[in-house]
Each structure stands twice: as C-alpha cells, then as structure tokens.
Amino acid sequence: DAKTTQPPSMDCAEGRAANLPCNHSTISGNEYVYWYRQIHSQGPQYIIHGLKNNETNEMASLIITEDRKSSTLILPHATLRDTAVYYCIVRANFGNEKLTFGTGTRLTIIP
Amino acid sequence: DAMVIQNPRYQVTQFGKPVTLSCSQTLNHNVMYWYQQKSSQAPKLLFHYYDKDFNNEADTPDNFQSRRPNTSFCFLDIRSPGLGDAAMYLCATSDMGAGGQIAKNIQYFGAGTRLSVL
C-alpha cells in the first residue's frame, strides 16, 4: 500500500518558489518524512528529511503539518536544473528500514 | 568527486547471456543496495548487503544475484537476462551506525547502469 500521495506533475516558473505537497495520513510516530529527487538519467539524490519540526538546508525547506499527515517541500528559487521527479518517502529511522519509492511528482521548471 | 561509482554506464547484453554490473564506493558505508528502475517507473529495491549479510527482497527473481567481496565493491549478476530485465540498475550506499541506529538514514546513489537486452 502506498504510504504517500503526491500529484503526478507540477510546473513552476524559473526564479519562483516551488511548493511540492505530499500526503502521508497513515504516518507512524517513529516515521520520518524524506525527500529525494531524480534528475533525468541520474540516480536519486537526497534532499532533506524531518520528523515533526520544519527543516531547512542549502537545498530546500520542509514544512510538516502539526498532525504530521502532510508536508510540503519548498525550493525557494527554482532553477532549470531543479527539473526532476521528486519523491516523498516515509520511513522509520532505525534498523534496516528500506526506501520505498512511490510515483513521485514530476516538476518542470519553465523559463 | 563521485562517491558511488557504477560501471559501465551503458551495458548491452544478449538474451540469456549472463551479465555483471559493478558498483564501488569511497564512503566506507556498511550498507549497499541494488535497485531496478524500469522506464517511467520508480526505483524498486532488489536486495541489499548489511556488511556481508545479504538481504533479498521477497519478490526479487532468482535470476538476480549479488556479491560483495569487500566493503567497497558490490556486484549485480543477472544469470539469464530476459527482455523484461532491460532497465536502469541503481546502486546506493548508506551508513548504519552502532546498534542498528541510522543517524540520518541517507542513501547515496550512483548514476546507474542502463542495461539493454537484445
């Protein structure tokens, strides 16, 4: 069963903020939200992850709702190189928990 | 500098002819993974090694095998490739800390090997 739901595709104008939503209504208390992206013909790349607090790094910000049932990945100033498939994944942060990729969101940055 | 290196980037094999894909890492991570990604689909985990401990996914066909001779290298062997095995094969690594705790649980992926079966 899919643990996350994402829109299949989104467009964003270059230079604007790209906001990618993810629903994870069945998330467990010990599960984190991870975001990876995959640029065409490359391997997936880690972006950011969080448990319940909002997180920011050099690539993006992650906003998690208080009930943890949804989150939003924010790319503050999208560039053409941000065009990729973005995967939202929930997983526990212990043991040998694997990454289970869903269908992701294909983000296209428009010049 | 590339940290997870997959060779070759493109591999062509014949139907039924065994093929080996290789992966090496400079991160000294104790876990290595192999994923299969078919066209327009998400990556799907085939198996992984935790140190020398091999962990197969339940639905991975027997046609797929793996070897990890040391920390740095991991191989994917496809014993009798079929047309349906044409895909991108991705290698990834992660660092599992003491007691099974994973500090960040981040996987680092190689660029992949695209396998064609003729």
Side-chain angles (χ1 to χ4, degrees):
Chain A
D1 292 338
K3 284 189 169 183
T4 64
T5 304
Q6 300 178 252
S9 64
M10 292 181 63
D11 293 340
C12 179
E14 186 179 16
R16 305 295 294 268
N19 297 281
L20 293 93
C22 180
N23 288 321
H24 29 80
S25 58
T26 61
I27 192 169
S28 302
N30 62 0
E31 287 183 318
Y32 286 67
V33 180
Y34 282 79
W35 284 83
Y36 282 75
R37 73 179 182 184
Q38 188 172 22
I39 296 170
H40 183 62
S41 295
Q42 297 184 22
Q45 176 191 24
Y46 166 82
I47 302 172
I48 198 167
H49 76 285
L51 182 62
K52 54 183 179 181
N53 297 321
N54 298 337
E55 302 287 344
T56 296
N57 63 20
E58 65 279 4
M59 290 183 68
S61 295
L62 174 61
I63 309 298
I64 302 174
T65 58
E66 191 169 346
D67 64 6
R68 300 206 329 120
K69 292 185 177 182
S70 66
S71 60
T72 301
L73 178 74
I74 301 172
L75 308 178
H77 304 288
T79 71
L80 297 179
R81 288 183 291 183
D82 291 322
T83 292
V85 178
Y86 287 76
Y87 295 101
C88 170
I89 302 167
V90 296
R91 66 185 292 203
N93 210 25
F94 62 86
N96 221 358
E97 291 295 311
K98 60 185 179 182
L99 283 178
T100 302
F101 289 85
T103 53
T105 296
R106 182 173 297 278
L107 175 67
T108 302
I109 306 302
I110 300 170
Chain B
D1 292 338
M3 297 180 289
V4 182
I5 303 159
Q6 292 189 245
N7 285 310
R9 288 296 311 276
Y10 300 92
Q11 176 75 55
V12 180
T13 190
Q14 293 180 330
F15 182 94
K17 184 176 180 180
V19 65
T20 295
L21 309 181
S22 71
C23 177
S24 64
Q25 55 137 334
T26 59
L27 297 165
N28 203 33
H29 284 171
N30 54 1
V31 189
M32 294 188 77
Y33 310 80
W34 279 104
Y35 291 82
Q36 179 193 63
Q37 186 174 25
K38 295 188 176 180
S39 182
S40 300
Q41 295 184 20
K44 180 178 180 297
L45 182 65
L46 294 173
F47 28 58
H48 73 276
Y49 274 95
Y50 176 21
D51 290 326
K52 294 184 178 181
D53 184 23
F54 179 70
N55 298 272
N56 200 30
E57 292 300 299
D59 56 355
T60 297
D62 292 340
N63 197 28
F64 292 87
Q65 303 287 319
S66 186
R67 296 170 284 134
R68 188 179 186 187
N70 53 52
T71 299
S72 300
F73 287 87
C74 196
F75 300 99
L76 170 62
D77 300 310
I78 308 176
R79 293 193 295 190
S80 181
L83 299 178
D85 296 327
M88 174 77 86
Y89 289 89
L90 296 160
C91 174
T93 73
S94 69
D95 184 24
M96 181 176 292
Q101 294 290 325
I102 306 173
K104 292 185 176 181
N105 219 356
I106 298 169
Q107 289 190 17
Y108 296 84
F109 286 80
T113 294
R114 185 168 297 282
L115 178 68
S116 299
V117 181
L118 303 179

